[in-house]
Amino acid sequence: MNVLLASSEVAPFAKTGGLADVAGALPPALARHGVDVRVIMPRYPGVEKAAENITTVLPRIDVQLGTTHYACRVDATTLPGCDVPVYLVDIPTLFDRPGLYQETGQDYADNHMRFGAFCKAIAWTLIGIGWMPDVIHCNDWQTALLPVMLREDPQISQDAELSQIATLYTIHNMAYQGLFPPESLAALGLPPRLFSPAAMEFYGHLNLMKGALVYADILTTVSPTYAREIQTPEFGCGLEGVLQGRSGDLFGILNGIDYDQWNPADDAYLPAAFTPDDLAGKAACKRELQRELGLPDSPDTPLLVIISRLDPQKGFDILLPLLQRLLQQNVQLAVLGTGLAEYEAILRELSEVNRNRMSATLKFDNGLAHRLEAGGDIFLMPSRYEPCGLNQLYSLRYGTVPVVRHTGGLADSVEQAWQDGSRGTGFVFGDYTSEALYQAIESALSLYRQPTAWRQIQRRGMMRDSSWAASATRYLDLYHQAQRHRRA
Ligand code: ADP
């Protein structure tokens, strides 16, 4: 089976979120199953810092969208540590910019042309290199035009080989759909009839994600619970009806985590290593972390940690109101995050008022993220919605017991702990209220005071299989299903 994974970001070359992690980690796992898998992404400035041996494979292809022509070059490298090829589509007029999608908080106005040209370049790249995938795996709005173009673009849909390719489309977050003015459709060179409610029209806008939901052969999202949730008005962001209409083709597959990057037994960011059978190193990590953050050296005080984008999605409107009350107890709290200025200001002020109990690091710091996962006791993730979530998976693996809301991938990865420690891996609450979150934190603190039961919960979480192996098998099954579906 030949599979091409198309993504606007791929770790370690370019990353703004979880999509990059999936695009960087799923292909090697598929390769281990014998799939001829390749990856394609735009060439942004700085990609060469993480890429080795970049070679040019297609010096010049012409990409036409409507009446606009773009000169494009295709380079190739491989994912680090394996030989999965990565094609880099170089269209300097569109991608040689400081941001991936935006600058100073403003989306680039021509994002439809940027990613439309990328999608079209993918088709011509396949012809140019003479390698045809059985399935193209597309992700999020940036590559949502590809399933549409394979069937409806006047040039691509006429090609005998391209038109045979099946597509699987993965939704990483329903909140980002790629909405553009109606005239964008003509600029992209697609037929005017696609601006209809049955295709890509969405409340007077052109909706790229909707195009993929209509045209892709198989749809997936990143957890089984989120797959159900997005078919409801609360989580579907206006596309729940389209998703309900395709519920037979919609599947949820939980993301894995990169075990090479996130392994407490061998993590270069940590002062000490530890395993489920020997947690002594975790105590050393906690001691060092307290020193690094300027918190009192106190081995028995429960250390609660948060690593998060500071975004309403992540539950800050129920978390922030209870922090002052929480900090009156014998606890410590360490927050790492960037995002909304309003949340940053509240966290900064709270940490200044509670210097002995709380630290707030308002920046992006991957090393500190690893040390917080290792040195913390309890991880807080009270998301309003969470397609999959990675931090709760890292927490489980690092013996930092998660407190999560029962939604999306959190519901699928954390199992409620029993007070005797005999079952479960964390603490799960349902209502989206400060009180429900507070009660869940109280339950965690109460179990923390029973070391034997606590160790059992920690160990069970650390042993959970969050590797990509199982998820890769599920994707492979669905690639076959997409192929059958396509050819039927
Ligand atoms: P989302 O993709 O919605 O932001 P996830 O939990 O799926 O949430 O993934 C977030 C990723 O970004 C994790 O790898 C997490 O460690 C990392 N991260 C988020 N904020 C920071 C930060 N301020 N510093 C370092 N890493 C961060």
Side-chain angles (χ1 to χ4, degrees):
M1 152 99 44
N2 292 356
V3 175
L4 179 74
L5 187 131
S7 176
S8 58
E9 43 187 282
V10 179
F13 306 125
K15 170 170 170 171
T16 69
L19 165 60
D21 294 322
V22 175
L26 173 60
L30 289 166
R32 287 192 279 276
H33 284 275
V35 178
D36 182 352
V37 55
R38 307 185 186 191
V39 177
I40 193 160
M41 66 178 288
R43 179 161 186 174
Y44 306 101
V47 162
E48 58 281 355
K49 279 188 215 136
E52 288 176 359
N53 301 326
I54 300 182
T55 53
T56 296
V57 288
L58 297 171
R60 188 179 166 108
I61 50 177
D62 176 63
V63 173
Q64 183 184 356
L65 288 181
T67 54
T68 316
H69 290 260
Y70 298 99
C72 163
R73 192 187 67 209
V74 182
D75 297 332
T77 180
T78 51
L79 284 175
C82 65
D83 54 10
V84 171
V86 180
Y87 298 106
L88 304 164
V89 175
D90 192 6
I91 312 177
T93 48
L94 298 177
F95 292 109
D96 194 2
R97 300 184 189 179
L100 264 53
Y101 316 122
Q102 53 167 252
E103 239 169 89
T104 56
Q106 285 293 311
D107 285 347
Y108 294 124
D110 61 349
N111 271 342
H112 59 299
M113 299 302 273
R114 298 174 75 225
F115 291 99
F118 171 55
C119 287
K120 205 148 179 185
I122 292 173
W124 302 147
T125 300
L126 297 175
I127 303 263
I129 61 173
W131 178 83
M132 277 294 146
D134 299 295
V135 179
I136 302 183
H137 183 162
C138 304
N139 297 276
D140 278 350
W141 66 265
Q142 297 89 341
T143 45
L145 277 169
L146 203 42
V148 180
M149 287 177 166
L150 287 170
R151 301 224 198 144
E152 299 283 7
D153 179 87
Q155 297 169 315
I156 296 175
S157 62
Q158 296 308 311
D159 183 275
E161 285 188 297
L162 292 173
S163 59
Q164 287 304 308
I165 299 172
T167 53
L168 179 146
Y169 177 74
T170 299
I171 301 158
H172 296 264
N173 192 331
M174 283 305 297
Y176 305 96
Q177 300 179 1
L179 295 183
F180 297 95
E183 55 275 18
S184 314
L185 187 67
L188 288 163
L190 288 167
R193 64 184 157 74
L194 297 191
F195 198 75
S196 77
M200 299 177 75
E201 190 270 343
F202 183 76
Y203 299 100
H205 291 84
L206 183 73
N207 185 323
L208 302 193
M209 178 185 277
K210 187 175 173 189
L213 300 186
V214 172
Y215 280 93
D217 298 309
I218 292 286
L219 307 175
T220 72
T221 187
V222 289
S223 67
T225 296
Y226 196 57
R228 287 190 296 277
E229 288 173 338
I230 59 179
Q231 296 179 58
T232 67
E234 189 184 350
F235 297 95
C237 301
L239 289 174
E240 58 275 7
V242 183
L243 289 161
Q244 282 162 21
R246 296 219 51 196
S247 62
D249 302 320
L250 170 62
F251 302 87
I253 305 177
L254 207 59
N255 289 336
I257 59 176
D258 187 340
Y259 273 24
D260 292 336
Q261 297 294 319
W262 294 89
N263 177 8
D266 178 23
D267 183 331
Y269 291 111
L270 304 187
F274 58 97
T275 65
D277 294 326
D278 182 2
L279 287 166
K282 186 166 171 70
C285 289
K286 179 172 177 177
R287 191 170 56 243
E288 288 301 316
L289 180 64
Q290 286 169 325
R291 286 184 190 153
E292 178 179 352
L293 299 175
L295 293 168
D297 210 343
S298 175
D300 297 326
T301 303
L303 174 53
L304 285 66
V305 298
I306 297 169
I307 305 165
S308 182
R309 282 187 292 121
L310 304 179
D311 183 279
Q313 174 196 337
K314 300 295 181 178
F316 285 95
D317 47 349
I318 60 169
L319 180 72
L320 294 177
L322 63 74
L323 287 186
Q324 190 56 51
R325 181 170 154 214
L326 184 65
L327 289 165
Q328 260 132 43
Q329 300 194 40
N330 179 29
V331 300
Q332 292 179 346
L333 174 67
V335 183
L336 171 63
T338 54
L340 270 191
E342 175 194 335
Y343 293 159
E344 289 195 4
I346 295 172
L347 289 167
R348 192 177 294 115
E349 192 188 322
L350 271 172
S351 65
E352 278 162 12
V353 174
N354 300 278
R355 266 183 209 289
N356 273 337
R357 293 213 186 280
M358 178 176 168
S359 101
T361 310
L362 304 174
K363 61 179 183 184
F364 199 94
D365 183 340
N366 186 40
L368 181 56
H370 283 248
R371 290 190 292 280
L372 285 167
E373 291 288 10
D377 295 303
I378 295 171
F379 191 89
L380 303 183
M381 200 158 169
S383 305
R384 179 187 284 275
Y385 72 94
E386 194 61 71
C388 174
L390 291 172
N391 276 311
Q392 85 282 11
L393 300 177
Y394 301 148
S395 301
L396 289 167
R397 189 149 169 77
Y398 280 65
T400 302
V401 176
V403 173
V404 302
R405 180 150 177 272
H406 190 272
T407 186
L410 301 175
D412 293 332
S413 55
V414 180
E415 193 194 337
Q416 175 61 40
W418 288 20
Q419 280 294 330
D420 64 359
S422 67
R423 288 193 67 162
T425 54
F427 295 83
V428 187
F429 66 99
D431 292 344
Y432 189 70
T433 61
S434 295
E435 197 48 40
L437 169 58
Y438 195 79
Q439 290 310 322
I441 296 174
E442 283 294 307
S443 303
L445 291 172
S446 146
L447 201 66
Y448 178 82
R449 290 187 283 270
Q450 302 170 51
T452 311
W454 188 255
R455 295 273 170 277
Q456 280 179 278
I457 302 293
Q458 281 181 302
R459 287 210 178 92
R460 200 173 294 116
M462 293 179 79
M463 313 279 272
R464 181 186 188 278
D465 182 3
S466 300
S467 69
W468 269 102
S471 301
T473 312
R474 297 232 39 225
Y475 276 108
L476 192 50
D477 285 346
L478 290 179
Y479 296 147
H480 285 294
Q481 195 164 324
Q483 245 186 325
R484 285 196 301 275
H485 195 103
R486 175 78 199 164
R487 283 167 189 173

